[in-house]
Amino acid sequence: MDSYGIAGAVTAMAQERTMYAVSITILKKTLDMQGDTALTLIAGVTQASVVQNLPAHLGNNIDVTA
């Protein structure tokens, strides 16, 4: 076998492995960021639903015949 061919193949495999590792790392960071964003949105919704500046009598009855 040609030693240059083997060296080229080994180099190509190492580059491919590195690119794969970088891709996985970027994917994990993206998923973490999306999870943080989702948690922030959920926390905002629950806080907004708890704090209501409406009088106590509003929202108790619904007129469905109108």
Side-chain angles (χ1 to χ4, degrees), residues 27-40:
L27 176 64
K28 286 180 180 180
K29 288 185 182 281
T30 302
L31 290 174
D32 288 343
M33 287 173 45
Q34 287 179 349
D36 291 342
T37 302
L39 289 174
T40 302

Side-chain angles (χ1 to χ4, degrees), residues 11-22:
T11 302
M13 288 173 55
Q15 287 176 342
E16 185 176 325
R17 189 177 305 136
T18 302
M19 288 174 33
Y20 178 75
V22 169

Side-chain angles (χ1 to χ4, degrees), residues 3 19 23 25-27 33 36 45 47 50-51 54 57 63:
S3 64
M19 288 174 33
S23 296
T25 302
I26 290 173
L27 176 64
M33 287 173 45
D36 291 342
V45 168
Q47 287 176 355
V50 170
V51 178
L54 299 175
H57 69 279
D63 185 8

